[in-house]
Amino acid sequence: MHGGYAAPLAQPERGSLASIDRLGKRSPSIDSIRKDPRWRDPDLPEVIAMLNHPIDPVKSNAAAYLQHLCYENDKIKKEVRQLKGIPTLVGLLDHPKPEVHRKACGALRNISYGKDNENKVSIKNCDGIPALIRLLRKTNDMEVRELITGTLWNLSSYEPLKMVIINHGLQTLTNEVIIPHSGWENEPNEDSKPRDAEWTTVFKNTSGCLRNVSSDGAEARRRLRECDGLVDALLHALQSAVSKKDTDNKSVENCVCIMRNLSYHVHKEVPGADRFQDNEANQQGGIGGQQKKKKDDAGCFGGKKAKEEWFNQGKKNGDTDKNFDTLDLPKRSESAKGFELLYQPEVVRLYLSILTESQNYNTLEAAAGALQNLSAGNWTWSIYIRATVRKERGLPVLVELLQSDSDKVVRAVAIALRNLSMDRRNKDLIGNYAMGQLVHNLPGGQQRPAKNLEEDTVVAVLNTIHEIITDSSENARSLIQTQGIEKLITINKSSQSPREVKAASHVLQMVWSYKDLRSALQKEGWNKANFQTAASTLPKGSKGNGKSGFDDSTLPLVEKSQVNKKSGSRDMIPMGELGPDGYSTIDHRDKERKYRSNESMGDMSEKEPLKNDSNKKHITRSNRPTLNLVDARDTKPQPVDSWV
């Protein structure tokens, strides 16, 4: 309730349920029933019939009693649906009396909360979503607004309803809640001080709803990106959170997750993206050439200045710092706004600030995922983003997070570093300063205790190491010096995961391809056979190196695949559901879902808030099941995308 939960799949917290008992607003009729033994509790059909009573207080009390009965009672919710109570409650949302539509909305919120998606569909089928949006537009009652947005948050957890919510309510939710509560003003008064965000329950509910619907696919992302004022308001709210050092609450988590989702495939999907495609330029040398490399790189990982000061680099006393080389950004006739703000290099500082300040694992993963998405692709802006992360002293921030206790944070950071290493100068720095920490995250070796990371994280780390040593014998030498070869060979020999074996073999083959390193390897007792032990696991015709790839990620709030999954990996979508192009696309998973069993999976978003990830139980590596997730078409390790 106070934003302290690290709840990747939490939607409305338990306390947000509109229960009469919890709110202390028990109907007088209920009290009298319990005090006087001559009275009996009305049965459910009688209560539902009372919703149509001509006297408004009777309607209100009946709705309140249903709200109470449905609190965490799936059986009653199902009966209400079967008795056609939901259409009547939806009809009461348009009732002119505030007490009536308030109680009806409270009942709908409780009914929509739970594993049974048929309740959500029933609300949708009787036009409940447009009715909720209408009520939001006309009411100023904060309690009613909390109930409306909480109900919409519940409904947004079900895939088929996401676009319905977008079609009926996106602009209204933005105009009525996100913009005013974020503090952003489209045309601010020059004399007024910028307003701070208001972290209200209504904002939390609405941002949670938009977080859910933003994961629905390319069309949903397009609609949210082009929604007037949405991206501007979200960025303003996050800037307010950073300035107030309040980055751990649930609303901030929701906002960062939305931004990460909207950054997914931004280099392919935004209008005019084709004008910025740059397949070859600056890929090897980075921006600005090599002439300033020593001066710029020397301080990138230097240790004298505190981390907070890294975000103030670039200007000294209002003047440009001569040691801070500038980027030749495209000329603009006017300031960026709307979806253009998603990929401006200036946003890098915001994400790095969040990565520095926040203690919320979900927020950290989302911020790293946003940088991962923005640095993917071959368009001009991703080249600028990769260089800006270096110039904003962001590489040390990311490398430090490789030590995180959260598996998903390590995974997101590793993939972000992989994309960032497409900039040659970043690659050299990461090879020098991050290799030891990357190797530390691999299983095996002498470290005690082992970090025991999940398969997808280990594969992400291996793929990042492969990218770093590609075309860099110096980085391969760093891998040898950090005792990485021993761990790689151990994975090859003993890992139960074919994906781990395959990724490790790619790295080993790349190391052996550098002839100038073979004498050093042989002095340590290794020979050619050690670097080819996993050749039989590779697809026919596969080579140790291949064309470099990029990783995008997106963040559906609701777990898409609970079947046959262990609790220790609930934050991952199975890699077997990767689309044919190597991206984890939600659209592809929707097609796959048609062929799964009808076993009830439930909405993780509607369970108890999860506690901090630090208490998460890890599956012992030796007992993990072997996953048949290797694509025979691969010529190199497939991109690994992280999900919350």
Side-chain angles (χ1 to χ4, degrees), residues 271-312:
D274 55 329
R275 293 186 293 111
F276 294 100
Q277 295 304 318
D278 191 352
N279 293 324
E280 301 295 337
N282 298 314
Q283 286 300 302
Q284 296 301 317
I287 301 296
Q290 297 292 330
Q291 67 271 21
K292 296 181 181 180
K293 178 179 178 181
K294 290 184 179 179
K295 185 177 289 186
D296 178 55
D297 292 354
C300 186
F301 277 84
K304 286 192 175 181
K305 295 187 177 180
K307 195 188 316 180
E308 300 85 50
E309 297 180 17
W310 292 348
F311 304 114
N312 297 319

Side-chain angles (χ1 to χ4, degrees), residues 321-489:
D321 182 358
K322 300 300 182 182
N323 292 333
F324 190 85
D325 53 347
T326 58
L327 298 176
D328 295 326
L329 299 177
K331 303 298 181 184
R332 287 189 167 278
S333 58
E334 56 185 22
S335 299
K337 61 181 179 180
F339 67 81
E340 294 176 330
L341 295 170
L342 289 169
Y343 50 82
Q344 297 304 306
E346 293 84 352
V347 81
V348 168
R349 183 172 295 183
L350 174 64
Y351 290 133
L352 292 176
S353 298
I354 292 171
L355 289 170
T356 304
E357 299 292 338
S358 182
Q359 301 297 315
N360 182 330
Y361 288 152
N362 304 316
T363 302
L364 291 172
E365 182 200 14
L371 291 178
Q372 171 189 333
N373 288 346
L374 293 175
S375 57
N378 284 325
W379 75 331
T380 304
W381 291 107
S382 63
I383 298 172
Y384 295 138
I385 292 292
R386 291 193 282 267
T388 302
V389 171
R390 177 180 70 255
K391 296 174 189 304
E392 291 289 344
R393 278 50 177 180
L395 296 178
V397 177
L398 291 166
V399 172
E400 183 175 334
L401 286 170
L402 288 173
Q403 304 175 44
S404 173
D405 292 330
S406 170
D407 199 285
K408 60 188 177 184
V409 173
V410 174
R411 181 165 59 245
V413 169
I415 304 172
L417 288 171
R418 180 187 177 193
N419 286 353
L420 291 167
S421 69
M422 299 305 297
D423 179 297
R424 182 69 207 200
R425 292 161 68 183
N426 285 348
K427 176 177 287 193
D428 293 340
L429 286 165
I430 295 169
N432 280 331
Y433 295 97
M435 187 64 77
Q437 193 56 52
L438 287 166
V439 170
H440 181 75
N441 280 302
L442 296 177
Q446 300 300 315
Q447 71 185 66
R448 293 289 185 273
K451 290 191 74 171
N452 199 27
L453 297 175
E454 295 174 5
E455 176 194 59
D456 292 292
T457 305
V458 173
V459 173
V461 171
L462 289 168
N463 287 346
T464 300
I465 292 173
H466 183 272
E467 186 63 57
I468 293 170
I469 67 172
T470 299
D471 299 324
S472 176
S473 62
E474 284 303 309
N475 288 346
R477 192 181 303 276
S478 295
L479 175 63
I480 297 170
Q481 293 170 348
T482 54
Q483 285 72 54
I485 303 301
E486 178 185 355
K487 287 193 171 187
L488 291 167
I489 292 175

Side-chain angles (χ1 to χ4, degrees), residues 538-558:
L538 295 175
K540 189 175 182 180
S542 181
K543 297 181 180 179
N545 58 347
K547 188 176 179 180
S548 298
F550 299 94
D551 291 304
D552 283 331
S553 61
T554 188
L555 275 172
L557 177 63
V558 179

